[in-house]
Amino acid sequence: MPEGVIPLTERTAPPTAAPRHTRLWPVLAATAGVLATKALEPHLPGAADYISSLGIVPSWAAWAGAGAGVVAALAASSQRAGKGARPVLLFVGWTACVLLLWSAVGIIFDAFRSFFWVTGIPAGDFATVDWPGFLTRAVAFAATLLLARSTLAFQRRTGEGCDLCGLRPGERDRPADWLGYTAFGLAFIYPGVKYYWWAGGGIGRPGQYTEGFPVMETMLLVGGGVLSLALVSSWGRVYPFWVPFLARRRVPRMLLVSCGWGLSAALLLQGLIPVFASVNHLLGGPDLPFDSGSANSWVILAVYGGWALFGLALLGATRTYQRRTRAVCRLCGE
């Protein structure tokens, strides 16, 4: 165990040595929900399309992702699904996750638009919500999470590791602190652009840019940076001495895990927009929603690319934190 890491060895796995299976019905319900909401979407009131018209998400992505997800979930839960079918099932499962995540792109915009709609804060067209599309994207995002969990569980129990926990000898202590430090560095990209514009910089700056000091971006920088370091530091297990009222107390494990997964998902949903738009364009979709080659497009690619890389690094750091702080397995002792 690396120095400074406080293992949670007081807890052990249940006495059973049977491989863990995730519940099947939530995955099937979520994927079926995607199909239902996608079919009902054109017939529901309140539509105000601001995603599909940009050529980011093809209409077939939700159908293909949900269909493949049902097949992958049913096959992975079968008692006959063994290591021989593992490569095919993993390919189908993770492909379905990508397609469902693609279908959920835009949900962050929906959340912000809903906020302005609910609060009544003047925001022009940004206070208009595509409620049918929001519903489809929300269900697709839930299906992505549930299917990813199911696929990951199948990947673990059919791999080369322990039949109960999925870990291989020494995997818990595998060095991966660089992921947290990388995420910390990537957290500066988007706020850095806003600081540059606030200071008067002109490269890639929108013509009608009237924003003041980037308060929200600073909050993202501080929160994301602290979270990134906490996931790979000893003070991510025990509150350090400088935290009022909580010093030397254990940090709730699920607090960091939930924040890590949540922020990673939000960053990836936003950061992958240019990637998904480019793939859709290569598959015969409409032109890209930004002018390639201009200074503004380079800023867009830097910001969105920074979000995507930040999300991937933070996701890796969160998985490392989960691995290091999980209960000791009764079967293999890892």
Side-chain angles (χ1 to χ4, degrees):
M1 188 75 63
E3 183 180 356
V5 174
I6 300 177
L8 303 182
T9 54
E10 293 83 356
R11 299 182 296 112
T12 57
T16 178
R20 296 178 181 176
H21 290 256
T22 56
R23 293 182 180 273
L24 179 61
W25 69 264
V27 182
L28 295 180
T31 49
V34 174
L35 298 174
T37 55
K38 190 64 179 177
L40 292 173
E41 186 177 329
H43 309 288
L44 296 177
D49 182 33
Y50 42 75
I51 297 297
S52 300
S53 60
L54 297 177
I56 300 173
V57 183
S59 59
W60 51 264
W63 298 103
V70 170
V71 173
L74 288 174
S77 65
S78 173
Q79 297 297 328
R80 298 180 180 179
K83 295 186 177 181
R86 185 173 188 265
V88 175
L89 291 183
L90 288 179
F91 175 79
V92 175
W94 289 121
T95 299
C97 288
V98 171
L99 291 173
L100 289 170
L101 184 69
W102 193 353
S103 305
V105 161
I107 194 173
I108 304 300
F109 292 126
D110 293 322
F112 278 110
R113 286 172 176 264
S114 299
F115 169 78
F116 289 115
W117 182 85
V118 170
T119 61
I121 298 175
D125 292 339
F126 208 69
T128 302
V129 185
D130 175 19
W131 295 110
F134 189 4
L135 177 61
T136 299
R137 286 183 282 273
V139 177
F141 181 58
T144 303
L145 297 180
L146 292 170
L147 181 60
R149 184 171 180 268
S150 173
T151 305
L152 186 61
F154 173 77
Q155 180 174 321
R156 287 173 53 189
R157 70 173 182 266
T158 58
E160 300 299 327
C162 170
D163 289 339
L164 180 60
C165 70
L167 293 180
R168 288 171 287 188
E171 186 177 358
R172 182 195 291 267
D173 300 331
R174 185 174 58 193
D177 291 353
W178 64 272
L179 288 167
Y181 299 124
T182 300
F184 176 77
L186 292 168
F188 285 82
I189 294 180
Y190 176 55
V193 172
K194 286 301 188 79
Y195 291 142
Y196 170 72
W197 287 344
W198 172 67
I203 300 178
R205 177 174 177 165
Q208 301 297 324
Y209 188 80
T210 58
E211 298 182 20
F213 181 78
V215 177
M216 296 297 294
E217 290 79 3
T218 301
M219 294 174 61
L220 175 63
L221 172 60
V222 173
V226 169
L227 176 61
S228 300
L229 295 179
L231 289 169
V232 294
S233 303
S234 60
W235 46 273
R237 282 89 175 165
V238 174
Y239 289 109
F241 70 91
W242 42 264
V243 178
F245 310 111
L246 296 174
R248 306 305 181 187
R249 295 186 179 183
R250 178 170 291 172
V251 177
R253 179 176 183 264
M254 288 309 300
L255 174 64
L256 292 188
V257 171
S258 300
C259 290
W261 278 100
L263 184 56
S264 299
L267 290 167
L268 288 172
L269 280 168
Q270 286 296 97
L272 291 176
I273 286 178
V275 176
F276 285 141
S278 299
V279 172
N280 192 28
H281 176 63
L282 292 175
L283 293 176
D287 294 334
L288 297 176
F290 52 87
D291 296 327
S292 58
S294 64
N296 186 49
S297 69
W298 285 111
V299 171
I300 290 175
L301 292 176
V303 168
Y304 281 82
W307 281 337
L309 294 175
F310 183 13
L312 288 173
L314 187 63
L315 184 63
T318 303
R319 287 286 298 153
T320 298
Y321 179 84
Q322 285 184 283
R323 185 173 63 240
R324 288 181 174 177
T325 59
R326 65 178 300 168
V328 174
C329 178
R330 184 180 294 273
L331 182 62
C332 68
E334 287 292 321

